[in-house]
């Protein structure tokens, strides 16, 4: 199976995105093409919460209805985020609810008061909660549901829930291809995405096949038919739970440690001492002084080269901002080359936004809600 020219989107920390392939961020912003109409009755709103493993983000979308039989045009987005994620409040669900309550104030400011009752509000949690036990995850979501029920917004059925990895990858694919104009029926070229989150990573793309078929090349659960905006796509998608950047840090630290929760690792600066929190737990981490480490638009090999340069760096100033930089760059380099088989010269593009909109699954999930989108797995 050969990948099409591919857009690779990596959440390197909280927010940074990495993209490969065609320059989908070119052109003028949507807001510059489509001025806001004087008739505000033609504008509708939707609120989507992204409850990730490292933080909770709110996306408030404004859509303009141009024609009665056409899908609304995305006009603008209000975005805000808070740290840590819901999973960090595993022992105090009420605290998790407070972070959601705070973000709802952003929605109240972005949406006109007279539209609150007609604006749907939804929350989808990702791998941070998928890794938790079901009872603890549901305890967190029940608190969020209470906050939603007390809000002035429209609360649809199943407004709060945990999203599976397949849906996360598909919806991120929809977002990027919608914003880059690749979902129209006359467009036969799309862009694929690789989303590296805190606890999981997803890869989704439309295969270009030669002498084989999707049916022969991939397992049933990895092939999904998506009908969106009057077009149908048969996509390959797979989610790797436990292979996100934060999970990779934890696995690496445990591999070099005799006992936890105090971790000493040669993958950290040898003079570094500090705390690191993930998944509701706090760890004491430090470098190993007895083990010296020798170790926009770019290519895969640039990650490898940067990893080697950073891992050789001994200046405390370099690691004061991010002591995990050596570890993270090494993991991303290995994931791209050894894990997913990208060539060293594969082109990459750094991209956090497409046409001034956040390139996350949240917009795809909002479109799916409006279209009542169903994902059809082959063989089911």
């Amino acid at each position: 199976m050969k990948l099409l020219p591919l857009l690779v989107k990596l959440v390197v920390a909280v927010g940074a995105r990495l993209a490969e392939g065609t320059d989908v961020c070119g052109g003028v912003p949507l807001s510059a093409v489509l001025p806001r109409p004087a008739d505000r009755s033609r504008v509708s709103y939707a609120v989507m919460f992204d409850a990730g493993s490292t933080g909770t983000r709110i996306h408030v979308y404004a859509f303009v209805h141009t024609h009665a039989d056409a899908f609304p045009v995305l006009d603008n987005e209000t975005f805000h985020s808070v740290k840590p994620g819901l999973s960090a409040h595993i022992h105090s669900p009420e605290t998790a609810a407070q972070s959601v309550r705070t973000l709802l104030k952003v929605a109240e400011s972005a949406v006109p008061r007279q539209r609150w009752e007609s604006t749907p509000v939804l929350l989808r949690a990702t791998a941070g909660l998928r890794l938790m036990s079901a009872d603890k995850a549901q305890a967190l979501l029940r608190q969020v549901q209470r906050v939603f029920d007390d809000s002035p917004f429209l609360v649809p059925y199943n407004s709060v829930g945990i999203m599976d990895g397949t849906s996360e990858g598909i919806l991120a694919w929809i977002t990027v291809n919608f914003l880059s104009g690749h979902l129209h029926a006359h467009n036969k070229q799309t862009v694929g995405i690789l989303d590296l989150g805190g606890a999981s990573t997803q890869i989704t793309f439309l295969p270009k096949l030669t002498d084989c078929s999707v049916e022969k090349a991939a397992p049933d659960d990895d092939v999904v038919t998506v009908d969106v905006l009057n077009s149908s796509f048969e996509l390959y998608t797979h989610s790797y739970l436990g292979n996100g950047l934060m999970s990779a840090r934890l696995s690496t630290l445990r591999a070099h440690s005799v006992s936890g929760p105090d971790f000493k690792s040669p993958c950290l600066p040898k003079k570094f001492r500090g705390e690191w929190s993930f998944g509701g737990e706090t760890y004491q981490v430090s470098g190993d002084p007895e083990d010296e480490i020798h170790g926009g638009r770019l290519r895969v090999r640039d990650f490898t080269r940067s990893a080697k340069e950073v891992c050789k760096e001994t200046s405390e100033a370099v690691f004061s901002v991010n002591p995990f930089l050596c570890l993270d760059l090494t993991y991303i380099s290995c994931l791209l080359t050894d894990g997913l088989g990208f060539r060293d010269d594969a082109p990459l593009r750094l991209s956090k936004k497409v046409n001034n909109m956040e390139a996350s699954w949240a917009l795809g999930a909002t479109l799916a809600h409006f279209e009542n989108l169903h994902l059809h797995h082959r063989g089911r």
Side-chain angles (χ1 to χ4, degrees), residues 22-97:
T22 54
D23 185 358
V24 301
C25 294
V28 294
L30 291 176
S31 57
V33 177
L34 184 64
R36 297 187 181 184
D39 182 6
R40 302 304 295 169
S41 65
R42 295 169 53 200
V43 180
S44 63
Y45 300 86
V47 180
M48 178 64 69
F49 281 82
D50 170 1
S53 58
T54 59
T56 302
R57 303 118 200 166
I58 187 172
H59 303 257
V60 183
Y61 298 110
F63 296 92
V64 176
H65 301 261
T66 55
H67 303 287
D69 57 346
F71 191 86
V73 176
L74 178 62
D75 181 38
N76 65 78
E77 172 194 29
T78 300
F79 173 80
H80 195 71
S81 64
V82 296
K83 299 179 183 179
L86 295 184
S87 57
H89 305 292
I90 185 173
H91 303 299
S92 57
E94 297 80 5
T95 308

Side-chain angles (χ1 to χ4, degrees), residues 71 170-171 173-175 177-178 182-186 190 224-235 363-376:
F71 191 86
I170 292 292
L171 296 174
W173 183 91
I174 291 175
T175 292
N177 282 278
F178 174 82
H182 288 85
L183 288 187
H184 301 294
H186 64 275
T190 61
V224 179
T225 299
V226 178
D227 300 313
V228 59
L229 300 184
N230 299 317
S231 297
S232 183
F233 305 91
E234 191 170 43
L235 304 175
L363 176 59
T366 304
L367 298 176
H369 172 73
F370 282 140
E371 288 217 323
N372 194 24
L373 180 66
H374 296 286
L375 307 181
H376 308 285

Side-chain angles (χ1 to χ4, degrees), residues 210-372:
T210 53
D211 56 352
C212 64
S213 65
V214 177
E215 287 77 8
K216 295 179 181 179
D220 287 351
D221 285 349
D222 290 342
V223 178
V224 179
T225 299
V226 178
D227 300 313
V228 59
L229 300 184
N230 299 317
S231 297
S232 183
F233 305 91
E234 191 170 43
L235 304 175
Y236 172 86
T237 184
H238 193 85
S239 178
Y240 299 89
L241 184 61
N243 282 78
L245 196 60
M246 300 299 108
S247 293
R249 284 183 183 179
L250 185 58
S251 297
T252 303
L253 293 173
R254 282 176 172 164
H256 290 97
S257 179
V258 177
S259 63
D262 296 334
F263 295 134
K264 181 181 292 186
S265 173
C267 297
L268 296 174
K270 64 179 182 178
K271 295 182 179 180
F272 172 72
R273 302 288 185 276
E275 291 184 346
W276 176 65
S277 298
F278 177 61
E281 302 293 336
T282 299
Y283 306 94
Q284 299 294 326
V285 297
S286 64
D288 190 345
E290 299 179 358
D291 192 337
E292 183 69 37
I293 301 176
H294 298 288
R297 188 181 295 271
L298 64 163
R299 297 185 182 273
V300 168
R301 59 172 171 259
D302 294 323
F303 271 96
T304 305
R305 181 170 60 248
S306 295
K308 291 179 178 178
E309 292 175 356
V310 167
C311 293
K312 290 180 180 179
E313 181 61 56
T314 60
S315 171
E316 292 186 13
V318 173
F319 294 102
S320 61
V321 176
N322 185 2
F324 291 92
L325 193 57
C326 167
L327 190 159
D328 291 348
L329 286 172
T330 301
Y331 175 68
I332 293 172
S333 174
C334 292
L335 176 66
L336 291 172
T337 55
D338 299 333
L340 297 170
F342 285 99
R343 303 186 313 273
D344 281 347
D345 61 349
L348 307 172
R349 176 180 170 83
L350 295 173
S351 179
K352 186 177 184 295
K353 295 187 177 184
V354 178
N355 279 332
N356 279 352
M357 306 291 177
E358 291 287 324
S360 82
W361 57 259
L363 176 59
T366 304
L367 298 176
H369 172 73
F370 282 140
E371 288 217 323
N372 194 24

